[in-house]
Amino acid sequence: MKKILIIEDEVSIADLEKDYLELSGFDVTIKEDGETGVEEALARKYDLFIVDLMLPKKDGFEVVREIRDYKNTPIMMVTAKKDDIDKIRGLGLGADDYITKPFSPSELVARVKAHLGRFERLTGAVQEDNRLIEIRGLRIDSTARRVWVNGDEKNLTTKEFELLKFLASHPNHVYTKEELFREIWDLESVGDIATVTVHIKKIREKIEPDTAKPQYIETIWGVGYRFRI
Ligand code: CA
């Protein structure tokens, strides 16, 4: 289970973040000031830190600086003021993302997942058994970046391949279009979630025997997509 440390002095916000992250399967710890936050961050292994900017004892800038001296774990900073984002960027502290209050909990969860996924790819921590996926005639070779359906090779574009591989690597997990967009496209890239819909359609045309009745990538109406296993 992935471990997340929230350093946040507003208890109601910290609890809300915790509830949503726990519902998504994360193990969450809260520290309410900068000083104990840094101590905890350095004392144990965490997979991601969520750090509020305005904190008692040590502010978020100092917290990030001290954590970064020892760890390359993804850090998301939380701020109540949009203006602070330029300041955070300008300081080059090494925070990986910024989110402004008020934010929706689902947005937070989506971003956390995106960062954990990106960090795993960067550090090569992705599980070995994800290299070759074989499900009901569909075969995805991540190393060779090739896809076959019942023995016939299908040519997917880079993004189509990444999207299919991501979904197939997390079977039965429903992802929103927003989550998929963040996962496959850069956070800063221009585009919108319609891109995801277009890519799903193209993938289906290539891999589904009948696109009207998709057997691999299911549409969950009003939510998003799921790779069925
Ligand atoms: Ca605060």
Side-chain angles (χ1 to χ4, degrees):
M1 195 184 270
K2 299 280 185 200
K3 289 168 69 83
I4 296 176
L5 175 63
I6 296 171
I7 309 177
E8 167 68 73
D9 59 314
E10 282 174 72
V11 178
S12 58
I13 290 180
D15 285 346
L16 185 71
E17 292 173 0
K18 187 175 195 276
D19 286 349
Y20 271 82
L21 289 164
E22 283 181 345
L23 278 173
S24 298
F26 296 106
D27 177 8
V28 182
T29 303
I30 298 172
K31 291 289 165 187
E32 290 170 20
D33 68 77
E35 208 168 88
T36 56
V38 171
E39 279 172 21
E40 177 65 20
L42 301 182
R44 263 172 277 280
K45 189 190 173 298
Y46 282 95
D47 297 291
L48 186 135
F49 301 110
I50 298 173
V51 181
D52 183 37
L53 189 58
M54 300 301 284
L55 286 167
K57 295 188 184 171
K58 247 175 213 174
D59 69 19
F61 292 117
E62 189 55 36
V63 169
V64 172
R65 205 174 278 127
E66 291 186 23
I67 293 175
R68 269 288 168 268
D69 281 346
Y70 299 94
K71 295 187 182 238
N72 64 346
T73 312
I75 301 177
M76 286 179 53
M77 291 201 81
V78 179
T79 167
K81 289 186 286 179
K82 274 218 154 62
D83 298 351
D84 287 335
I85 292 179
D86 289 336
K87 203 172 156 194
I88 298 168
R89 284 203 179 115
L91 287 169
L93 288 171
D96 298 275
D97 198 5
Y98 327 94
I99 191 163
T100 46
K101 291 179 194 170
F103 50 81
S104 77
S106 56
E107 159 117 32
L108 178 80
V109 170
R111 292 223 202 169
V112 164
K113 284 182 184 166
H115 281 287
L116 286 171
R118 190 162 289 118
F119 187 70
E120 281 188 345
R121 282 200 299 276
L122 286 173
T123 56
V126 175
Q127 288 174 1
E128 293 279 304
D129 57 3
N130 277 351
R131 273 200 220 152
L132 192 65
I133 298 166
E134 286 186 286
I135 300 158
R136 282 178 279 113
L138 175 70
R139 180 182 164 98
I140 304 168
D141 184 335
S142 300
T143 315
R145 301 182 73 84
R146 294 169 76 182
V147 175
W148 294 263
V149 179
N150 297 322
D152 292 334
E153 183 160 11
K154 306 291 173 183
N155 290 309
L156 272 65
T157 65
T158 305
K159 292 296 185 201
E160 288 165 8
F161 180 85
E162 285 178 18
L163 187 54
L164 175 63
K165 191 190 110 181
F166 178 76
L167 286 166
S169 303
H170 305 85
N172 290 338
H173 186 123
V174 180
Y175 287 97
T176 65
K177 289 174 190 172
E178 287 84 356
E179 286 174 318
L180 293 171
F181 185 74
R182 282 184 202 287
E183 184 63 35
I184 306 300
W185 284 266
D186 290 336
L187 285 177
E188 284 79 22
S189 70
V190 186
D192 60 87
I193 57 169
T195 313
V196 175
T197 316
V198 171
H199 278 71
I200 294 280
K201 185 169 177 283
K202 286 185 178 159
I203 294 169
R204 281 180 177 156
E205 283 165 4
K206 292 177 182 180
I207 69 165
E208 295 285 357
D210 179 0
T211 54
K213 291 182 199 136
Q215 59 163 311
Y216 298 114
I217 301 173
E218 277 184 316
T219 300
I220 309 298
W221 293 108
V223 187
Y225 299 102
R226 161 171 80 182
F227 192 97
R228 203 160 64 82
I229 199 162

